Amino acid sequence: IGPLAAIPLVMAFALDRPPEVLVSDTTQAIALRGADGLALVSGKPKSFAVNLRGETYRQEIAKAPPGTTNCDSLGCVSRSPLGFSLALSKDPAAFAEDCANVDLVVTHLTAPAACRDETTVVDAGNLAKGGTQWLKWDADAGRFEIRPAIGDLNRPWRAGR
């Protein structure tokens, strides 16, 4: 078997698997895996970032079905059909309740250290370091695998972050 036989294997590993949660580097777009693929629980469908991720995973990322997400003045809470919950905390006053009651807290702010003791957190520090975040839910462990969605972090447009 020659080098040509390795091409399908290399291509299979070159394609990234879709996450259960995708958080843009600004938290303005958050997609959650639903029954039909990734669905936006926060953000604008057809925006540049959403279209780019949709192309990466070869699927349209549309708005999540009604009832997936509930919002108030402090943020939003979304429930996944995979059994986990996610809070988008927009105000520091939301942290106490969100950190104690959901599996994942996402915020553009810096979350309190105590929040990380209670739940998984993606906050300003993660986003500044790694940009858009890719998360895979491990139901057995009750936690997420988290990594940057873009593997090569040497990105000139993020200089100084």
Side-chain angles (χ1 to χ4, degrees):
I1 299 177
L4 290 178
I7 291 174
L9 184 61
V10 170
M11 290 302 293
F13 285 106
L15 300 175
D16 196 11
R17 60 191 170 136
E20 264 78 65
V21 179
L22 193 62
V23 180
S24 74
D25 61 352
T26 61
T27 71
Q28 291 186 18
I30 300 174
L32 185 70
R33 176 149 309 284
D36 297 323
L38 290 170
L40 276 180
V41 294
S42 174
K44 296 177 184 169
K46 308 243 183 249
S47 68
F48 174 77
V50 171
N51 286 343
L52 179 64
R53 291 291 148 220
E55 289 173 15
T56 300
Y57 300 116
R58 293 180 166 76
Q59 60 185 261
E60 182 179 352
I61 302 176
K63 272 288 208 202
T68 303
T69 302
N70 295 306
C71 299
D72 62 21
S73 62
L74 303 178
C76 300
V77 174
S78 302
R79 306 249 176 245
S80 164
L82 299 177
F84 63 84
S85 56
L86 172 156
L88 172 59
S89 304
K90 297 179 180 180
D91 187 291
F95 288 131
E97 184 177 344
D98 290 348
C99 296
N101 293 303
V102 298
D103 301 298
L104 173 64
V105 169
V106 175
T107 182
H108 69 282
L109 306 167
T110 299
C115 191
R116 291 183 189 281
D117 294 336
E118 296 186 67
T119 193
T120 303
V121 175
V122 172
D123 71 357
N126 302 95
L127 299 167
K129 223 190 258 184
T132 299
Q133 298 292 297
W134 176 103
L135 294 89
K136 185 81 170 170
W137 175 243
D138 182 339
D140 294 332
R143 64 176 179 253
F144 289 91
E145 170 192 348
I146 304 174
R147 66 173 171 81
I150 300 171
D152 179 10
L153 296 179
N154 183 18
R155 296 169 284 168
W157 62 89
R158 293 193 57 83
R161 290 186 102 187

